[in-house]
Amino acid sequence: MKIIRASEKHTHGNQTFHVEILYPGTNLGKNDTGFLTIGRIDHALFKPPGLVPMHPHQDDEIFSYIRSGKMIHMDSTGKKEHLNNSYMMLMNAGSGISHEESAEEDVEMLQIFMRPSENDLPPQVQFHQFENIFSENTWRLVAGNRADSPLKLRVETNIFDIRLQVDKVVEIPEWNEKIINFIYCFNGEIKIGNGTIAKGDSVIFEENLSLEAIRESDLVLFQIKKDAKYSDTGMFSGNKFH
């Protein structure tokens, strides 16, 4: 089990757009800034009248995981959508796509840059309306390569989330020895194995460990197939700093 602390992230931004960037491979002492199929994870605070102007992506799978607030998305495919904490988006940049985002209300979110299985796939943008904002004490599949994934990733990884109430204990949803688990703590504090993680921390493990909430906690779990094929040359998810 390996814990990456929030203090190890890279901080950028200003009053309207503040971001803490996790390059997990760097924190593991690797040359690759990402970790297997995860390129990087941006924990962002985005406030009106903030605008991230139109910019390109290539060979990135970008999951906008919003936990509070509202923002407006526009992209080069002609789509314009109002996103919030139950209406989320996944951009499969493939051979190329551009987008811009503007804040309607104070937003706290993760911008998750995943790595596709191969380069130059057809670009597309997906949206999904979730029934509930939070999944209380039960793992919920939010994005992945399973047939029942609400948002489809083009790489062998599934992303789950959960809101775990105080003193509740859960197991990993689909543990097996072919999977590596990566958990990002969005809020709260949990006990895992012989350690604890809190807001902004991450933990990587292969064991079948249970999680216990010390405080109400919002968690994001990445289940990565160990032998998953992925591209490490994406514009943002690739093997380099930005």
Side-chain angles (χ1 to χ4, degrees):
M1 188 176 82
K2 168 66 178 174
I3 293 174
I4 303 172
R5 295 297 177 195
S7 58
E8 300 178 59
K9 293 189 285 190
H10 299 254
T11 303
H12 301 279
N14 51 44
Q15 288 183 330
T16 58
F17 186 73
H18 175 86
V19 61
E20 296 178 351
I21 304 174
L22 172 63
Y23 296 102
T26 302
N27 299 112
L28 298 171
K30 299 181 183 298
N31 291 327
D32 185 354
T33 54
F35 177 73
L36 301 177
T37 62
I38 302 172
R40 63 187 254 195
I41 300 173
D42 293 4
H43 195 141
L45 299 172
F46 192 27
K47 299 181 178 183
L51 171 70
V52 178
M54 192 70 71
H55 61 281
H57 286 275
Q58 190 169 348
D59 300 322
D60 301 319
E61 305 268 293
I62 309 146
F63 180 26
S64 297
Y65 180 74
I66 301 171
R67 293 294 75 201
S68 61
K70 298 177 181 179
M71 68 183 196
I72 302 171
H73 162 85
M74 296 177 66
D75 63 52
S76 54
T77 72
K79 290 186 172 66
K80 178 180 180 180
E81 296 283 342
H82 295 257
L83 306 177
N84 57 47
N85 53 12
S86 63
Y87 187 58
M88 291 191 255
M89 172 182 69
L90 178 64
M91 287 185 289
N92 312 96
S95 58
I97 203 166
S98 296
H99 74 114
E100 75 173 42
E101 312 296 333
S102 56
E104 290 186 279
E105 295 177 0
D106 289 7
V107 171
E108 185 175 6
M109 67 179 293
L110 299 181
Q111 194 83 311
I112 299 168
F113 296 87
M114 301 296 293
R115 295 166 159 179
S117 58
E118 57 186 299
N119 289 341
D120 296 318
L121 294 168
Q124 62 183 25
V125 186
Q126 307 171 54
F127 303 90
H128 185 79
Q129 178 67 58
F130 289 90
E131 186 176 345
N132 300 301
I133 296 168
F134 300 105
S135 182
E136 304 270 351
N137 302 317
T138 302
W139 290 107
R140 170 177 65 174
L141 180 64
V142 290
N145 71 324
R146 279 181 12 187
D148 60 341
S149 301
L151 295 163
K152 300 292 193 296
L153 281 174
R154 300 187 294 198
V155 70
E156 289 182 301
T157 299
N158 292 304
I159 304 175
F160 300 81
D161 72 352
I162 193 171
R163 167 162 278 193
L164 199 58
Q165 304 292 353
V166 177
D167 296 331
K168 290 288 187 180
V169 178
V170 291
E171 306 297 321
I172 293 303
E174 297 176 9
W175 182 86
N176 69 70
E177 58 189 16
K178 297 180 181 179
I179 296 293
I180 292 181
N181 297 289
F182 183 107
I183 288 178
Y184 184 90
C185 183
F186 191 94
N187 270 319
E189 186 179 8
I190 65 164
K191 181 179 179 182
I192 178 169
N194 58 0
T196 61
I197 63 170
K199 184 181 177 75
D201 294 343
S202 303
V203 60
I204 302 168
F205 58 98
E206 297 181 40
E207 310 96 310
N208 189 12
L209 300 175
S210 59
L211 313 172
E212 180 181 355
I214 299 169
R215 291 183 281 139
E216 181 180 79
S217 300
D218 295 314
L219 308 174
V220 183
L221 165 66
F222 301 77
Q223 292 200 308
I224 305 167
K225 193 174 179 186
K226 287 182 183 178
D227 61 356
K229 294 179 181 178
Y230 59 89
S231 164
D232 63 359
T233 58
M235 190 175 288
F236 283 77
S237 63
N239 185 13
K240 55 180 179 288
F241 284 103
H242 286 269

